[in-house]
Amino acid sequence: MDEKRAEALNERMFTEMVGGMGLLAVYLGHRLALFKELAKSGPVTVSQLAQRTNLSERYLHEWLLAVATSEYVEADASGEIFTLSEEHAAVLADEDSPYFIGAYPGLLQGLAMAIDPLLEAFKSGGGVRYEDYGKHLREGLALTGRPMFKHEYVQKWIPTMPNVEAKLKRGARVADVGCGVGWSSIFLAKHFELAVIDGIDVDEESIAEARRIADQQGVNDRVQFHACAIEEFKFNVASPYDLVTAFECLHDIPYPVQALSRMRKMASPGGTVFIADMAGGEGFSDNNNHPLGRFFYNVSLLHCLPQAMVFPEAAGTGTAISESTVRAYAHEAGYRKASVLGIENPFYRFYQLTP
C-alpha cells in the first residue's frame, strides 16, 4: 500500500469536512441575518453585535471565531473586533448583489435531511420526494438563483433572441416551466411591463411562495402561478405562448420528452422555447476534466436523480445533462431545430428550440 497516498486522502477529507462545517456556519449567519448586520455596523465587538441583534453573546462569540478562522469575516490580532469587508458583504449579505451566494449552504442542510430516504431508494430503485429535502433546499435554490435572474436574464440572455425581445416589448405571453418561487417570472414582468406570464411548478409550497412574492413585487396582475406538472398544465389553445422557458429543470423532469412536447404545443406559430440547463460534458471523460464535473455528479446523486426517480419509468437524466442529450430529447419531442445560444455562463448552456 502507498501510505502517502492514503495519508493524502485522509488529509483531503478532513479539509473538506472542515470546509463543509464552515459553510453551515455561513448558513447560520444567513438565517440569523448576521452578515447583514455586520455589513451595516462596520467593525464591531462581540458585545456590540449582541446588543444590536439581541442574540446570545456566547454563541455570537463562537460564531464570529468560526467565520473569522474560515476567512469569511476579518478579525483583529486579538480576535476581539470583527469586520465584514465590502467584497465579502456582496457575497454573503446583499441578496441583490450579482455575487450573492450566502443562502446556498442551505442546500447542504436540505441534502442531509434526505439521506435516510436516499438509503432506501438505493435498495428499492425508487426515489426521494422533493418535499423530503425541506425548506432549506428550496430557499437555497431560490435565493441563489435570484441574482442571476435579476442581473442576467433580461440584460444578457433575452438580447440573444431579438425577435423574442421585440415580442416581449409589445406584450408577449410567456410560460415559465419549473419556475420555483417565481423570480424568473417576476423579474421578466418587472422589465417588460406589457408581458403576461404563467409560472408553472410541481411543488405547491414553491408556488405559494411565488404568489406571495408576486403580490409583494406588485406584478400579480400579470403573473399567475400554477401548481402542477407541465404535462398536466391546462392552457387555452386559442391563446398560445410567444415564449416558453425552462430554467435548470429539464434534467430534473421525470419525463423530459413528454415535457418538451407539451411545451412545443404551448408555443405559438413562430414562438420560441428557451431552455437553460447544466453545461455537462459528453460523459465521464469530459465531466472529469470539467471544473464543475464534481458538482454535477454529487448534486445529481443527492438530489436531482432521486427526486425524478419517484416517478415510474422516469428518464433519470441526472444533473450532468449534455448537449447531445438535450438535442435528442428535442428531436424526439418534435422540434425542427435546437440551437445553442452564445451566452457565456460557467454553469449553464442555453438552447433556443424551434417548434
Side-chain angles (χ1 to χ4, degrees):
M1 183 179 78
D2 186 339
E3 292 186 0
K4 289 185 177 180
R5 188 179 182 192
E7 183 179 349
L9 179 58
N10 181 289
E11 292 177 358
R12 174 189 152 194
M13 290 185 66
F14 177 76
T15 300
E16 291 180 353
M17 182 177 69
V18 173
M21 290 190 291
L23 289 175
L24 290 176
V26 166
Y27 190 51
L28 280 172
H30 164 71
R31 293 297 301 272
L32 294 169
L34 292 173
F35 292 117
K36 290 182 179 180
E37 190 59 47
L38 287 170
K40 289 188 296 184
S41 70
V44 68
T45 65
V46 178
S47 296
Q48 289 170 337
L49 186 61
Q51 291 173 0
R52 294 176 70 101
T53 61
N54 199 31
L55 296 172
S56 163
E57 184 170 335
R58 181 65 187 91
Y59 276 103
L60 285 174
H61 188 200
E62 210 72 4
W63 179 80
L64 284 165
L65 293 174
V67 294
T69 54
S70 294
E71 299 183 343
Y72 295 118
V73 168
E74 298 172 5
D76 67 353
S78 64
E80 295 181 358
I81 300 176
F82 301 87
T83 306
L84 182 65
S85 70
E86 180 183 5
E87 295 80 8
H88 285 202
V91 176
L92 298 170
D94 183 1
E95 294 177 9
D96 286 326
S97 163
Y99 305 105
F100 178 74
I101 199 171
Y104 206 44
L107 269 69
L108 296 176
Q109 170 88 2
L111 295 175
M113 286 177 63
I115 288 295
D116 284 342
L118 183 56
L119 290 171
E120 292 304 314
F122 265 78
K123 300 171 186 176
S124 67
V128 179
R129 300 178 311 150
Y130 186 83
E131 295 84 355
D132 290 337
Y133 292 93
K135 65 179 182 180
H136 303 283
L137 184 135
R138 183 184 301 109
E139 182 195 54
L141 290 173
L143 286 179
T144 303
R146 184 181 183 276
M148 176 178 65
F149 291 122
K150 179 179 177 64
H151 296 284
E152 297 184 33
Y153 183 16
V154 169
Q155 298 87 339
K156 297 180 180 179
W157 304 355
I158 292 297
T160 65
M161 302 176 289
N163 61 324
V164 171
E165 187 172 33
K167 290 178 182 179
L168 286 166
K169 289 178 179 178
R170 294 196 299 267
R173 283 177 48 77
V174 181
D176 185 7
V177 178
C179 64
V181 303
W183 285 116
S184 48
S185 298
I186 290 163
F187 282 124
L188 191 69
K190 288 173 75 72
H191 189 88
F192 296 105
E193 297 182 353
L194 299 178
V196 177
I197 304 164
D198 284 309
I200 306 148
D201 199 284
V202 72
D203 182 51
E204 293 184 0
E205 292 193 30
S206 293
I207 289 298
E209 178 69 2
R211 289 169 178 158
R212 185 192 68 78
I213 297 172
D215 183 58
Q216 182 186 64
Q217 295 290 320
V219 296
N220 59 353
D221 58 330
R222 292 183 294 112
V223 182
Q224 301 296 316
F225 292 103
H226 312 268
C228 65
I230 179 58
E231 299 90 342
E232 300 168 357
F233 177 63
K234 296 178 181 179
F235 68 99
N236 186 353
V237 178
S239 301
Y241 295 94
D242 301 289
L243 176 64
V244 183
T245 65
F247 299 132
E248 200 190 345
C249 65
L250 184 63
H251 70 268
D252 289 319
I253 293 175
Y255 310 113
V257 173
Q258 292 91 324
L260 285 174
S261 178
R262 183 71 166 172
M263 293 164 67
R264 176 177 57 80
K265 293 173 183 176
M266 291 165 60
S268 63
T272 293
V273 175
F274 180 40
I275 306 290
D277 217 310
M278 294 299 185
E282 297 294 338
F284 173 75
S285 59
D286 280 352
N287 289 317
N288 195 36
N289 294 313
H290 193 296
L292 290 173
R294 187 178 172 197
F295 170 79
F296 290 155
Y297 286 129
N298 278 285
V299 74
S300 188
L301 167 66
L302 297 170
H303 176 255
C304 298
L305 176 62
Q307 62 84 41
M309 295 292 282
V310 168
F311 302 89
E313 299 182 7
T317 305
T319 312
I321 187 169
S322 67
E323 179 180 338
S324 65
T325 298
V326 175
R327 289 184 182 277
Y329 286 163
H331 177 75
E332 190 174 349
Y335 288 86
R336 179 171 58 85
K337 186 179 180 182
S339 304
V340 175
L341 297 169
I343 301 171
E344 292 188 10
N345 190 290
F347 284 91
Y348 305 114
R349 188 180 292 117
F350 299 81
Y351 306 84
Q352 183 176 6
L353 307 185
T354 305

